[in-house]
Amino acid sequence: MKQASQSKKNTNKNISLLIDGAVYPLDIVTGTEQEVAIDISRLRADTNLITLDDGYGNTGSCKSAITFIDGEKGILRYRGYPIEELAKHATFIETAYLLIFGELPKEEQLLQFRKLLNDQQFIHEDMRHHFEGFPANAPPMAILASMVNTLCCFQPDFLSADEDTLFAEDAARLMSKIRTIAAASYRKSVGSPINYPRSDLRYTENFLHMMFSLPHQFSDTDPEIVKALDQILILHADHEQNCSTSTVRMVASSQANLYTSVAAGISALWGPLHGGANTEVIKMLTALLESGDSVQTFLDKIKRKESGVRLMGFGHRVYKNFDPRAQIIKEACSTVLQKLNIQDPLLELAIELEETALTDEYFIERKLYPNVDFYSGIILRAIGIPTEMFTVIFAIGRMPGWIAHWRELRTSENPRIYRPRQIYTGETLRHY
Ligand code: CMC
């Protein structure tokens, strides 16, 4: 299935480059939300020049019809639907279907997708033995990336991006198994027996069962808590060309399979500037609480840029006003803590840090606001999820986005391999 190109060439604007007296007209590409880009795809062929954009802050790497973000206005939409509406009314599985297949599922489609997820939830018994090879304190993100790659060895017949039925199976297989693998990696890390998934439970509840049930006692989680975790997964489900998603697309562009492309995305997500930030926020809040330092003293250290200290969970490459996901999570945070009757000093500290930072010139000037990671860890902690698993939860949530981008790239009209260039700054010719 080829994706229809949603963008168009805009003929109203004229842009040209003037190089040594020669004029090179450049096309303008306008997206459906009127975002405008200069098309430089012929630049090197015509002028022998390339562009240089460290960190890709000004580079559009692709056209995509999956997620729209307006960082100035704090807008996030999946396939056109505002994140606020999806977080309130949809389930994670409906959202995943929307991202992967482009439309919200009709009842019959949803039932069918749920069935696929159920059918695919077990991992091969031989794969379970792999867990025995990891040391007890192995980081769950390392286990997750390795085990998702290991799926390639157990599922050799997967490459079917063009075929809708088989692709739906592949997508369901990955979404369902990652949850089983994630829970198993936690059980392994605490020395508990690995729980089998249960077909009578919905996606998120099933994950909580695999995480927390004991052989003799089913962990029956309050529906409001299940809903809060489901909402966290929805909020993480996609975020256009972030570091891990770009990695998935990069790997996919070499025609690598879905599993191995996603395994690379998991590794990219692990970093503290990306998905690892939710773990770092809790570490930062705990250290601050234990140090007895005031919030202002801590912020002053950050502002002096002391030994690379940053306010974790703050700032975003795209959002320069507010992160809509952070607002939803902050609200959910109070609901969950109230429901569980938990007084968490870290929440009070987080609120004080946020309020103080938002009135501080350093943060105002740089347009630094709380991002999705600032409050998510406090909810996860309250639910009983250990800190090392926070980024794993992010990965489970981001799975539909990675799958959708992998498919979009593989079914695009001109799927070229991603291959940026560079400006060489090393030694010039020398001899041995
Ligand atoms: N604390 C203190 N200063 C900051 C922060 C922060 N969290 N973020 C940016 N700055 C400063 C930075 O020092 C720089 O100052 P100056 O202009 O004086 O050199 C300025 O703001 C611009 O920063 P940048 O590093 O050029 O911004 P970026 O767009 O490259 O980085 C970011 C974006 C998210 C990596 C960064 O804001 C950051 O490190 N935040 C903390 C980590 C974090 O919370 N990451 C999660 C991101 S959201 C979820 C996800 O995508 O995974």
Side-chain angles (χ1 to χ4, degrees):
M1 184 191 77
K2 295 277 175 211
Q3 296 273 343
S5 170
Q6 292 291 309
S7 55
K8 57 184 184 213
K9 297 258 161 108
N10 182 332
T11 44
N12 296 335
K13 285 197 175 86
N14 282 318
I15 295 207
S16 34
L17 266 181
L18 181 62
I19 303 171
D20 290 340
V23 177
Y24 299 92
L26 295 169
D27 278 333
I28 294 286
V29 179
T30 309
T32 50
E33 290 284 353
Q34 307 312 311
E35 287 176 304
V36 179
I38 301 169
D39 181 350
I40 55 153
S41 48
R42 288 211 43 85
L43 184 68
R44 187 166 183 280
D46 290 348
T47 68
N48 213 25
L49 298 175
I50 61 166
T51 56
L52 187 61
D53 185 19
D54 255 353
Y56 306 130
N58 307 283
T59 297
S61 61
C62 60
K63 295 175 195 163
S64 178
I66 301 170
T67 287
F68 171 67
I69 301 177
D70 183 329
E72 310 303 326
K73 296 192 184 135
I75 291 175
L76 169 60
R77 294 184 201 137
Y78 297 160
R79 302 278 189 189
Y81 293 97
I83 189 66
E84 294 80 2
E85 291 178 21
L86 291 170
K88 194 161 177 196
H89 303 297
T91 63
F92 175 58
I93 294 308
E94 282 175 290
T95 308
Y97 190 99
L98 169 71
L99 283 165
I100 297 171
F101 301 106
E103 294 295 338
L104 281 166
K106 299 200 166 61
E107 208 178 321
E108 183 55 30
Q109 291 168 317
L110 186 59
L111 284 176
Q112 219 174 344
F113 193 52
R114 282 218 183 98
K115 180 174 177 327
L116 280 179
L117 288 165
N118 264 344
D119 291 349
Q120 298 293 344
Q121 63 189 342
F122 292 95
I123 52 174
H124 195 289
E125 268 309 299
D126 289 347
M127 245 184 107
R128 288 165 67 95
H129 300 312
H130 282 251
F131 285 96
E132 286 154 27
F134 293 110
N137 57 354
M141 282 298 275
I143 299 183
L144 192 69
S146 317
M147 294 302 270
V148 168
N149 232 339
T150 306
L151 283 171
C152 299
C153 313
F154 290 88
Q155 202 68 46
D157 56 338
F158 40 68
L159 262 185
S160 45
D162 290 331
E163 226 281 46
D164 269 355
T165 319
L166 293 182
F167 178 78
E169 253 176 53
D170 278 339
R173 184 178 296 132
L174 196 45
M175 280 195 52
S176 201
K177 290 194 194 317
I178 193 186
R179 173 190 52 171
T180 309
I181 293 171
S185 69
Y186 165 67
R187 302 287 294 185
K188 159 83 189 152
S189 72
V190 291
S192 300
I194 292 173
N195 286 323
Y196 283 104
R198 275 179 42 173
S199 301
D200 58 321
L201 300 176
R202 291 274 169 90
Y203 190 89
T204 306
E205 201 181 3
N206 205 352
F207 172 66
L208 287 168
H209 145 67
M210 284 190 273
M211 286 283 291
F212 299 123
S213 286
L214 300 173
H216 56 283
Q217 191 184 8
F218 168 59
S219 156
D220 194 3
T221 315
D222 186 293
E224 270 194 64
I225 304 302
V226 176
K227 168 76 193 157
L229 184 56
D230 206 69
Q231 207 174 47
I232 286 187
L233 298 179
I234 293 172
L235 296 179
H236 287 89
D238 191 42
H239 214 233
E240 47 118 306
Q241 308 310 318
N242 56 84
C243 178
S244 55
T245 304
S246 298
T247 302
V248 170
R249 290 186 80 118
M250 168 74 84
V251 177
S253 78
S254 75
Q255 299 195 354
N257 69 66
L258 176 62
Y259 297 75
T260 212
S261 305
V262 163
I266 293 171
S267 300
L269 185 74
W270 192 4
L273 295 188
H274 192 10
N278 52 16
T279 311
E280 296 302 315
V281 170
I282 296 297
K283 284 191 199 157
M284 172 188 80
L285 293 171
T286 309
L288 177 57
L289 198 66
E290 284 170 4
S291 73
D293 281 352
S294 71
V295 159
Q296 195 53 58
T297 309
F298 179 59
L299 288 181
D300 288 343
K301 265 190 210 167
I302 291 171
K303 285 154 59 179
R304 285 198 301 273
K305 301 196 171 160
E306 251 176 48
S307 61
V309 195
R310 281 200 163 188
L311 182 50
M312 299 311 284
F314 251 68
H316 198 276
R317 173 63 63 80
V318 181
Y319 294 120
K320 298 299 173 194
N321 185 330
F322 65 92
D323 179 339
R325 302 167 302 173
Q327 292 195 325
I328 299 168
I329 283 195
K330 188 177 175 184
E331 232 171 84
C333 205
S334 323
T335 314
V336 167
L337 265 57
Q338 229 169 345
K339 178 84 202 174
L340 295 172
N341 203 13
I342 293 177
Q343 304 279 334
D344 190 344
L346 294 196
L347 175 62
E348 284 159 34
L349 192 58
I351 292 172
E352 191 186 344
L353 256 177
E354 180 192 353
E355 283 171 358
T356 317
L358 289 181
T359 53
D360 189 300
E361 207 42 49
Y362 174 97
F363 295 90
I364 295 171
E365 222 173 66
R366 290 169 180 77
K367 300 187 175 168
L368 301 171
Y369 295 85
N371 60 48
V372 67
D373 293 317
F374 196 65
Y375 284 105
S376 62
I378 295 172
I379 302 188
L380 295 175
R381 230 164 86 92
I383 297 176
I385 310 252
T387 316
E388 318 79 70
M389 286 293 289
F390 289 1
T391 314
V392 171
I393 304 283
F394 192 152
I396 298 175
R398 186 53 55 90
M399 193 55 66
W402 288 333
I403 295 171
H405 282 273
W406 184 90
R407 187 189 201 203
E408 184 177 70
L409 181 127
R410 291 295 292 273
T411 56
S412 62
E413 279 164 17
N414 183 20
R416 297 181 78 197
I417 190 163
Y418 277 26
R419 199 330 186 160
R421 287 184 176 263
Q422 64 166 19
I423 294 295
Y424 175 68
T425 58
E427 298 290 345
T428 54
L429 179 66
R430 49 183 174 167
H431 295 285
Y432 180 67

